Amino acid sequence: MAHRRLVPENKGLQNVTKLYYVPKPSVLNEGRGRNLPDAFKRFYLELIQEPAAVHHIPEKRKYIRDPATGIVRRGQDDPPPVIYPKAFHKGLWGGAGILKGFSHNNPKLQRFPKYWAPQYETSVVYSEVLDMFITTIMTKRTIQLIHKHYGFDHYLLQTPACDLKSDLALKIKRNILLALDKNELPHTNPEKREQVYNAYKHYLEKYDSEFIEWYGLKISEAILKMEFEMEKAAGAPQPLKVLYRKEFLQELQEADIKKEELEDQPAPASGISSIFSKLNPFKRNN
Amino acid sequence: MLRVLFRQYLKPSESVFMSNVPVRNKHISRTPVPDTSKLIPLLDETQLFVPVVHRRHEVPLRKVNGPGRKLRSRHYVYDQIVPGTVPMPDVEVILVQDVPGKGVKGTKLNIPGDKAYAEFLIPQYAVYASPENELKYAAEIKEVANNAQFSTLSAQKTALCISQHTAFFFMNMKNPWTIEKWHARVAFRQAGIVVPEDCIELPKQPISGPDPDKQGKHFIAYITINGKERAPILCRINHFINDEDQKIAVPPRFTPPFDPVFEEDRAQVDAFIHNRSEIQRFNI
């Protein structure tokens, strides 16, 4: 078996199949998004993970035995599809969305289409790091989650992006992380500022500064940011007239030098050659 | 054909259901409504106030690590799991400042989550009893008994309630008088406060009349609660006679001018009038 060790990463058939592997086209592979930095791709992968169960009781068992018949079958988790409307991104719903389906409470009648939505309330959240009160639309689940993590900032920083999901929550989290990373907290009292920074600085171990810079952006925003930075790195575009002027000046200078050289040369001795030289039509006039 | 056969062989009570209801998939539509109350204990705490559903018809098994099966319309028939009207689970908080009616600094309280959030945590009267905060406020938690400045929990709230009142002293316009404790007792009773005479504290200088200069003027008396809290109360002198022609109209409370009987009390009376809105607002 010694010869096998010489081959790097011998994974059998997997290596062969990978030769023909073409990744599925997505926003990050195609178009303007393909040049996005890895830091943003890491955030995007965090965002599209499967969220925690909110609207159903998850099936965690691998195999299930039927108590009546004793037959064993595989356990399978099928979460109901959830709708996240526009209003979801303007508030903090704690990951809860809207369900669309049928209710069939009376077997004698037909089933009826129905929407299930959580109860909303206008409430306030307080961010300790940003020292800011924010009035938003919330659900009771959000308040419970804040209690579970002992505070709004801890809730945002401990929860992955796939569970927060809403634009507002991700924006607030981004601002908190940026403030912590640059150590620019808006507190007026320096003692209080230091106290808050010390309470939250351990979260910076999980997020590095490049990751924070791209955290919580939408794809369109990330592309704009990338293109802006590329333009900035390339510098301001130079107009062509500057280039042409430079070339023209160089030409003039060269012409002057040649003239001077010609003048310095001694005049030809014979008169005949000078007459012929005047008659020659193919001669260049310098 | 089948329907006709069923009608012949089944009992009339059963056949009514079969014949009258026009449904396509009978084996699906006639599945009984499952009892979702058994699933309530499986719910997470955070799922109590969002709609949680259970599929009536199971989705067929997919391949191991394979893509999901295409769902049919019957897989969207849901039964909601309703836990009923339950209060939000309790949260433990530590008071950071004295809250009248609730406790002193350092007191630990167990309150329903939504109430704790709106009334204690957002106004910053309290913090969560997390392990870090328990270390931070360990000194305050130890000295709760020493910090107690009031006799009972409701005493401070009662004192605030009393100082919102104005007592009108209706004194005779013709017969001479000097204000005594029993006058004050009657005046407070008319204002809605029943107190024994030994709890009342009047100004040291005697106030006597009838005197037209003292009409509509103020002085401050004190009511002692449980021998500890001293609640100030604004009093106003009003001359009274049982003759319609000479009667003086009684103004509503807290109407200017706020002149004191004794000139030394002017600052105190002004402060009382100035702070009355704050007294009314601080009412948890």
Side-chain angles (χ1 to χ4, degrees), chain B residues 98 103-105 143-152 228-229:
Chain B
D98 297 355
V104 288
K105 196 176 175 182
E143 292 184 0
V144 169
N146 302 339
N147 283 342
Q149 290 169 358
F150 35 81
S151 52
T152 59
K228 203 165 188 181
E229 286 85 10

Side-chain angles (χ1 to χ4, degrees), chain A residues 132-170:
Chain A
M132 192 193 265
F133 288 93
I134 304 160
T135 310
T136 50
I137 286 168
M138 291 159 60
T139 59
K140 280 190 177 178
R141 185 183 151 86
T142 321
I143 294 172
Q144 280 180 306
L145 287 169
I146 291 169
H147 288 331
K148 208 177 167 187
H149 294 94
Y150 296 126
F152 180 62
D153 302 60
H154 291 292
Y155 159 59
L156 288 185
L157 292 167
Q158 286 172 19
T159 314
C162 60
D163 285 342
L164 293 174
K165 242 184 176 89
S166 101
D167 284 352
L168 180 70
L170 288 172

